Amino acid sequence: MFIAAKYIHRKIKSRNQSPTDDSPTPVTEKKPSCPHSRPFQVELRTGAFENARTSEGTASILTEDDRVLVPKEPPTSDEKCQVCKKQKHDMRVYRWKLIAGLFLPFTLATLDLTIVATALPSIASHFNEFDEQNWIVTAFTLTSTTFIPMFGQFADVFGRGATIHVSLFLMIIGSVLCAAAQTWGMLLLGRALQGVSDAGLMNVVMIILSDKVSLKESAKTKSLFMLVGGIGYAIGPTVGGYLTDANWRYCFVISIPIAVISQILIFILLRNELVEGTMFKKGSRLSGILPALATVDIIGSILFIFGVGLIILATAWGGATYPWSSPQVLAPLIIGSVCFVLFFVYEYLLEPGRIFARIFPKQVAMLPYSMFARRDTIWLAIVQFSTGAAMYSVFYYIGIYFSLVEAYPASRAGVQLLYYIPGMGAGVYMAVFFCNVWPAQTFVPLNIGALVSTVGLGMVVYAIHTQDTGLINGMMAITGAGTGLRFMPATLHMVGVWPEKIAPAQSLMRFAQPFGGTLCLTIMGSVFNNKFAQSSIVSRGASAGGDLDVHDSNSLSFIADLPADAQRSVRMAGKDAIMWAFIAILPIMGLSLVTGLFIGNVWIKPKPKDEEQRDAWEDEGSHSEVIYVPYLWALLTGNIDSYKKTNKVLPNSDSKAADFNNSSYLHTQDTK
């Protein structure tokens, strides 16, 4: 109705530019103080006037030939628009519900990833598996990486609420298995289930934060959660260190009450707010599960899980458990690579109109191949990959450095990682400023973050070489700042590039980061084990207690019991091995620096070019402005405006977004 009224008004303006004898007196439209408070009046050709203001900022269309609608004088700035007030109130309530309901699940997901960082030697020693301690991490990261895209599709098909509740339930089961583990296999099974849960929690929370809101509002909420996530990552090793001093099983027990409380909070606060599934909604019967599963990309999911899983498995085994040329490493590496390539081939053939789309007409691609048509998708995946590499390397190998080289107890080694927190907080705060205030774009924080992370990690290598504890702490803070700078802008950029595919876009971002961290840890683990073993073999005979080999060491106490000279030799070997482990991932950081130069740009708060565009945006909802070509190229050629595209932020499904469809802050939904 309102759009029709505006159309009539524009017709009147065109008439006023070429007045006829029976034309009404031209009326100059003034910009209203609020888009919802546009009063109208009916002008009769006889000159009589009749008020026709409506309560919601819309007007009835008069069909009489002798009447037309023209705008009245807009209200003064002192008048309060009740619609706007209600929108802002609803938005605040919605935001605080999200914070209260998702704070604990998100903290749990980040905490559970790093809480075992300083407990690894103690846990592995308990099961006499010191040389296999990396599997405590690998079992978690393997599943938390491979299942991320699948949970993104589950969130679309079954709804956000059902998916996050299932994720929390898996966390409870996995934590119970780990806490009660009597065998090494039972522990790794529990860690694998925790990883599956982490994949769901991290992905679905980010999807929920992108639902129903504009990029501007999403930037505010995600800023807070990224800061919370950074703190969770950083305090995890500290909490784990103190719990390990008492009993390492407490590292897993702590997750159980947090998951239970999270289930309750989400049900109470968000059960009526979360986006429902496209196939399985509230009130659907259990018999509807199978038809809903029929739309899930099962074949693509299997290819993806086997592809990524076998590649991670091969890199975890290579050089550590088996030689790189052994069949145990080559077989999973080759098969995994083939499955990974076949996954993209299958997704391509599942595109609309292609062969598999005709064979399986109900299936929806898990990661649509069309997403990669825009190059920023690939560049952002590389950026997130390097972010994960930088973050995981610090959380795990700095803790190992202080435990092995400096002989710190687990609790003190965890405390050292707290230096990462102020850097992370500073990085997140700077990202908030760059995205929300100036220049309100994503290009700047992404590239500054890549530069800062690379420099910081390079200086960490030098600090380990010189055993300068103060410099290590300072460079941890610098690396944390670079990581914090890239967290939120990367997800905002992806949503700006693909506003119509939020779930798969966020899934890809959530996958790239832990995948980078997981491969980084396996590479570092291989380099560390090889260097440490070689150095230990060289130092044999230096110990009065006999031969020294890292694969024969069942606990850190073994090293502490060595004579002083032998102990010093082992710790120096550990220092060199950790230093080379960090050097091994520096090329990944360099790649992200180069990638940043080719990335486009997203404007978080786009400004309309003229009044007509402003009117259209007010009618249609939130928008983002994007440059798909390299932003530096557009900047150097001076053609930014010609390359700039406007994307409408669409609703994610036929969900509760209807409750907010009047809000200028939220995604719009077509009215019928």
Side-chain angles (χ1 to χ4, degrees):
M1 302 285 288
F2 184 44
I3 298 175
K6 290 179 65 176
Y7 174 79
I8 295 173
H9 168 56
R10 292 193 182 101
K11 289 291 186 181
I12 295 171
K13 289 180 67 177
S14 63
R15 288 184 186 179
N16 289 341
Q17 292 173 356
S18 301
T20 60
D21 293 338
D22 58 347
S23 299
T25 306
V27 179
T28 302
E29 180 183 6
K30 295 183 180 180
K31 182 179 178 180
S33 58
C34 169
H36 306 98
S37 302
R38 292 178 184 236
F40 289 86
Q41 62 188 13
V42 180
E43 181 173 322
L44 304 178
R45 296 188 185 279
T46 58
F49 291 92
E50 177 181 336
N51 290 332
R53 181 191 293 215
T54 64
S55 60
E56 293 293 330
T58 61
S60 301
I61 300 177
L62 302 182
T63 58
E64 291 85 344
D65 294 334
D66 59 342
R67 298 185 185 185
V68 291
L69 288 174
V70 295
K72 278 184 61 178
E73 187 73 15
T76 64
S77 59
D78 294 335
E79 294 185 36
K80 300 294 184 181
C81 173
Q82 296 302 316
V83 176
C84 286
K85 289 175 65 177
K86 186 177 185 303
Q87 288 174 359
K88 292 179 180 180
H89 174 267
D90 290 346
M91 189 66 254
R92 283 194 298 269
V93 171
Y94 179 67
R95 184 191 305 136
W96 282 109
K97 281 185 176 181
L98 288 181
I99 294 172
L102 301 178
F103 178 85
L104 281 181
F106 192 75
T107 303
L108 175 63
T110 57
L111 184 69
D112 208 59
L113 175 65
T114 59
I115 196 170
V116 299
T118 49
L120 289 178
S122 299
I123 298 173
S125 297
H126 177 85
F127 294 99
N128 292 328
E129 298 284 354
F130 186 79
D131 58 319
E132 299 289 339
Q133 63 176 304
N134 279 344
W135 275 104
I136 302 174
V137 179
T138 303
F140 182 94
T141 56
L142 185 67
T143 52
S144 67
T145 302
T146 55
F147 281 87
I148 283 176
M150 181 178 287
F151 272 100
Q153 192 165 37
F154 284 163
D156 267 349
V157 174
F158 293 97
R160 313 318 194 209
T163 307
I164 199 169
H165 279 298
V166 170
S167 301
L168 288 167
F169 178 73
L170 291 174
M171 177 63 73
I172 295 173
I173 300 300
S175 299
V176 170
L177 287 175
C178 289
Q182 300 301 310
T183 64
W184 182 246
M186 185 176 177
L187 176 75
L188 295 185
L189 175 61
R191 285 294 286 169
L193 285 177
Q194 284 186 321
V196 175
S197 169
D198 185 83
L201 291 177
M202 295 292 286
N203 195 12
V204 178
V205 168
M206 286 294 104
I207 292 173
I208 291 173
L209 294 180
S210 299
D211 286 339
K212 303 182 181 180
V213 294
S214 65
L215 283 180
K216 178 182 176 182
E217 183 63 31
S218 180
K220 294 178 182 178
T221 311
K222 284 185 178 178
S223 299
L224 176 62
F225 275 81
M226 288 300 102
L227 181 57
V228 170
I231 294 174
Y233 283 131
I235 67 173
T238 305
V239 174
Y242 280 104
L243 293 176
T244 301
D245 286 345
N247 190 323
W248 61 264
R249 295 183 187 274
Y250 293 154
C251 294
F252 306 109
V253 172
I254 192 174
S255 301
I256 300 173
I258 297 177
V260 172
I261 295 172
S262 298
Q263 293 266 29
I264 297 172
L265 287 176
I266 291 174
F267 178 78
I268 293 175
L269 297 174
L270 298 175
R271 68 181 184 275
N272 295 321
E273 306 291 350
L274 300 181
V275 172
E276 293 184 349
T278 55
M279 297 297 297
F280 196 84
K281 307 176 184 297
K282 284 184 179 180
S284 298
R285 297 182 178 180
L286 294 179
S287 58
I289 293 179
L290 289 179
L293 284 174
T295 66
V296 175
D297 185 6
I298 300 295
I299 298 177
S301 299
I302 293 173
L303 288 172
F304 186 86
I305 291 172
F306 274 93
V308 175
L310 289 174
I311 290 173
I312 294 175
L313 186 65
T315 54
W317 275 343
T321 306
Y322 304 104
W324 280 100
S325 58
S326 67
Q328 292 89 340
V329 174
L330 292 179
L333 186 62
I334 294 173
I335 296 174
S337 299
V338 171
C339 289
F340 196 60
V341 172
L342 287 178
F343 164 74
F344 287 102
V345 173
Y346 181 80
E347 298 297 276
Y348 172 76
L349 296 177
L350 200 60
E351 288 287 296
R354 305 192 187 278
I355 181 169
F356 285 132
R358 294 194 295 269
I359 297 175
F360 308 110
K362 293 184 179 180
Q363 286 195 5
V364 179
M366 184 172 67
L367 289 178
Y369 187 84
S370 58
M371 286 179 55
F372 298 92
R374 295 174 182 171
R375 294 179 182 176
D376 272 16
T377 302
I378 301 173
W379 305 146
L380 284 170
I382 295 174
V383 167
Q384 287 293 82
F385 186 93
S386 65
T387 301
M391 185 170 61
Y392 281 44
S393 65
V394 170
F395 284 140
Y396 284 97
Y397 275 87
I398 292 297
I400 293 175
Y401 170 82
F402 283 112
S403 296
L404 178 62
V405 180
E406 301 295 341
Y408 285 5
S411 57
R412 188 179 176 190
V415 169
Q416 292 299 126
L417 288 173
L418 289 177
Y419 286 95
Y420 201 78
I421 291 180
M424 180 83 72
V428 170
Y429 181 81
M430 286 189 287
V432 172
F433 178 81
F434 286 134
C435 290
N436 293 335
V437 182
W438 181 89
Q441 303 168 14
T442 57
F443 179 85
V444 173
L446 286 175
N447 280 273
I448 293 179
L451 178 62
V452 172
S453 290
T454 305
V455 172
L457 213 57
M459 290 301 297
V460 165
V461 172
Y462 175 76
I464 290 175
H465 174 70
T466 59
Q467 285 190 262
D468 189 335
T469 302
L471 186 59
I472 290 176
N473 295 336
M475 291 304 103
M476 273 198 293
I478 295 296
T479 307
T483 302
L485 269 166
R486 293 191 286 180
F487 265 148
M488 177 189 62
T491 57
L492 290 177
H493 192 109
M494 195 63 169
V495 172
V497 171
W498 289 109
E500 71 278 16
K501 297 180 180 179
I502 288 180
Q506 291 285 20
S507 297
L508 180 61
M509 291 293 95
R510 291 306 314 160
F511 160 74
Q513 182 175 307
F515 186 53
T518 301
L519 283 185
C520 151
L521 288 182
T522 56
I523 292 170
M524 294 181 76
S526 178
V527 172
F528 171 80
N529 287 331
N530 287 329
K531 291 289 183 181
F532 194 28
Q534 291 171 8
S535 300
S536 298
I537 292 171
V538 171
S539 65
R540 285 181 179 181
S543 169
D547 289 348
L548 180 64
D549 187 348
V550 65
H551 296 298
D552 296 330
S553 302
N554 289 325
S555 67
L556 289 178
S557 61
F558 179 86
I559 300 175
D561 293 338
L562 292 173
D565 290 342
Q567 190 177 141
R568 187 179 306 108
S569 176
V570 173
R571 298 197 188 283
M572 290 303 99
K575 182 201 74 172
D576 291 338
I578 293 171
M579 181 186 70
W580 280 105
F582 274 103
I583 291 175
I585 65 167
L586 286 180
I588 297 175
M589 306 306 299
L591 178 63
S592 70
L593 276 177
V594 176
T595 298
L597 301 178
F598 294 94
I599 206 166
N601 200 4
V602 172
W603 279 256
I604 306 299
K605 297 186 292 185
K607 297 180 180 179
K609 298 178 181 179
D610 49 42
E611 185 178 344
E612 183 176 350
Q613 188 181 64
R614 175 183 61 80
D615 291 341
W617 286 9
E618 287 173 356
D619 295 339
E620 298 174 7
S622 300
H623 291 73
S624 64
E625 288 185 335
V626 184
I627 284 184
Y628 295 114
V629 302
Y631 179 64
L632 283 182
W633 170 257
L635 196 63
L636 291 174
T637 57
N639 294 325
I640 293 179
D641 290 337
S642 62
Y643 286 121
K644 195 180 293 186
K645 307 294 182 183
T646 300
N647 286 338
K648 180 181 177 182
V649 182
L650 300 173
N652 300 330
S653 69
D654 55 342
S655 60
K656 294 291 181 182
D659 296 337
F660 297 87
N661 76 10
N662 287 326
S663 175
S664 61
Y665 289 86
L666 306 175
H667 289 173
T668 60
Q669 180 163 311
D670 294 337
T671 56
K672 297 182 180 180

